[in-house]
Amino acid sequence: MLSQPPMADHHMHIFSPEAERILEIFCRKLGTTKCPPTISIKASTGQRAVDALDQAGIERGVILSTAYFYGSPEVGRLGVNVAAGMRRENEYVVGEARSHCGRLVAFVSLDPLSPNALDEIAYWSRKGGATGLKLHLENSDFNFRSPRQVRKLAAIFLAAKHARFPIIIHLQTRSLDYGAKDAEIFLKEVLPFSSGVPVQIAHAGGEGGISSHTLSALGAFADAVTTDPAATANLYFDLAMIPGSALGTGNLPPPPDQLADLEKLMRKIGINHFLLGSDWTFPSDLTSYYTQAKAELDLKAEEWDLLASNHAPYLLSGTEVNGTCKDPTGGAGQ
Ligand SMILES: [Zn+2]
């Protein structure tokens, strides 16, 4: 167990057996750059996630559905039923979280460019059991340079706001020059539609590790926090797979100057806006993950303490999740 475990892991994944099958196909098609072989895509359960949390002494976990895979162009070409597949995977993850109510919360996910996107939000808004919405723009092959796609994303943010769903978004796209320009479009043309709802930018604006793309995007957010603090008050950044070398990705440790730049930006934005997360999949070990992440980040002791105690606002309401799952012992919700 960690000597000072994080209060929560804000970025974990479980997969259904069906998702494991689809992910295997997805990874084969995209190659190892998008699915590093050391990151497991094994089917797993809420119990596995709770076991991993217990071993590290972490109280709560945020499990993110990977249903968005169904909408990726690679899987789309396989002829699978996108809407039905997404729904089944979201049902699986929500069901697993609810059976460990109080320890796990579930974020459902979708592809913002698929025709079923708004229906999926409406469904979960009615049904309950989901805490929020996860989007993965790289998987969706979303492009901030397309005004039509940006309008679609804005509509998703507006729908999430109406459903009172916080949003976790993997912002990095497949654009080779992804960075500040994309983050600025997001800040100006998408984020305002969800005003009042917490938005968590996954991997500190990148895709895991620290790259020039991560630093460029995060730099745009740091500027926005300075120039328009009210508009960015609900923005959070998770550190899943950051800085990266410890996390089974096979990456080398980030160069010291990149690490220093990351820490400078974190301080400019405010450490209280950063959340610990791991991108955990079964059977990774959270104790070694956080031990190495802490050593690599090498923040001041009081900064790490703050980071470890930070939790997203959507966890503050205890076990109440959109009116469901009110029994902290894990009993029935509606
Ligand atoms: Zn993830």
Side-chain angles (χ1 to χ4, degrees):
M1 189 183 286
L2 291 157
S3 57
Q4 195 215 355
M7 181 268 174
D9 188 317
H10 292 84
H11 191 140
M12 304 174 79
H13 294 284
I14 62 168
F15 311 122
S16 71
E18 183 185 349
E20 177 182 339
R21 194 175 57 78
I22 299 288
L23 283 163
E24 265 173 13
I25 299 168
F26 179 87
C27 291
R28 267 207 308 276
K29 292 216 167 239
L30 269 187
T32 54
T33 54
K34 293 298 167 202
C35 286
T38 46
I39 290 181
S40 162
I41 52 169
K42 281 192 179 71
S44 56
T45 60
Q47 185 59 52
R48 297 288 197 188
V50 168
D51 291 346
L53 294 171
D54 283 344
Q55 277 164 15
I58 301 169
E59 213 174 298
R60 304 187 72 189
V62 181
I63 53 173
L64 312 178
S65 165
T66 51
Y68 49 76
F69 272 103
Y70 284 94
S72 73
E74 292 76 17
V75 173
R77 285 198 286 272
L78 300 175
V80 296
N81 184 323
V82 172
M86 259 183 220
R87 175 67 53 81
R88 279 196 300 275
E89 188 61 15
N90 285 332
E91 297 271 13
Y92 178 78
V93 174
V94 168
E96 291 296 306
R98 289 185 70 178
S99 63
H100 297 278
C101 199
R103 297 296 303 282
L104 301 176
V105 298
F107 274 56
V108 293
S109 75
L110 50 86
D111 163 40
L113 303 179
S114 291
N116 68 315
L118 291 171
D119 283 350
E120 195 63 11
I121 295 175
Y123 174 81
W124 287 105
S125 173
R126 284 193 308 271
K127 186 171 162 76
T131 291
L133 177 68
K134 165 78 192 293
L135 303 170
H136 196 304
L137 300 189
E138 201 163 357
N139 267 285
S140 297
D141 197 12
F142 180 88
N143 188 351
F144 279 108
R145 323 292 166 85
S146 158
R148 188 183 60 84
Q149 293 190 12
V150 169
R151 281 196 297 276
K152 283 193 174 184
L153 189 59
I156 298 292
F157 269 56
L158 183 63
K161 175 195 163 128
H162 288 151
R164 285 180 291 142
F165 281 155
I167 300 164
I168 299 178
I169 182 165
H170 177 121
L171 204 69
Q172 181 156 345
T173 64
R174 300 184 189 185
S175 295
L176 295 177
D177 60 344
Y178 165 82
K181 182 176 168 185
D182 303 283
E184 281 160 12
I185 294 169
F186 172 75
L187 279 160
K188 198 164 153 236
E189 296 178 34
V190 179
L191 186 64
F193 287 90
S194 66
S195 66
V197 167
V199 174
Q200 175 178 327
I201 310 293
H203 314 294
E207 57 174 0
I210 307 174
S211 67
S212 57
H213 303 291
T214 316
L215 294 171
S216 174
L218 197 60
F221 285 113
D223 290 346
V225 165
T226 311
T227 54
D228 195 357
T232 52
N234 278 318
L235 265 186
Y236 296 85
F237 302 85
D238 78 44
L239 292 171
M241 290 174 52
I242 306 280
S245 67
L247 317 174
T249 60
N251 292 343
L252 292 170
D257 58 329
Q258 284 198 331
L259 194 58
D261 287 348
L262 173 80
E263 291 174 3
K264 218 179 287 170
L265 291 172
M266 286 175 67
R267 290 177 185 125
K268 191 171 170 190
I269 289 168
I271 302 287
N272 56 326
H273 283 270
F274 285 82
L275 304 168
L276 287 176
S278 61
D279 225 2
W280 178 88
T281 55
F282 175 74
S284 311
D285 172 38
L286 289 176
T287 300
S288 59
Y289 169 82
Y290 281 112
T291 302
Q292 291 183 54
K294 181 182 177 184
E296 283 190 356
L297 268 175
D298 199 25
L299 295 167
K300 293 176 194 149
E302 64 269 25
E303 289 176 326
W304 177 266
D305 291 351
L306 177 59
L307 205 48
S309 65
N310 283 348
H311 43 273
Y314 55 78
L315 290 176
L316 283 175
S317 52
T319 55
E320 248 181 274
V321 179
N322 290 344
T324 64
C325 211
K326 289 180 180 169
D327 178 358
T329 62
Q334 55 178 349

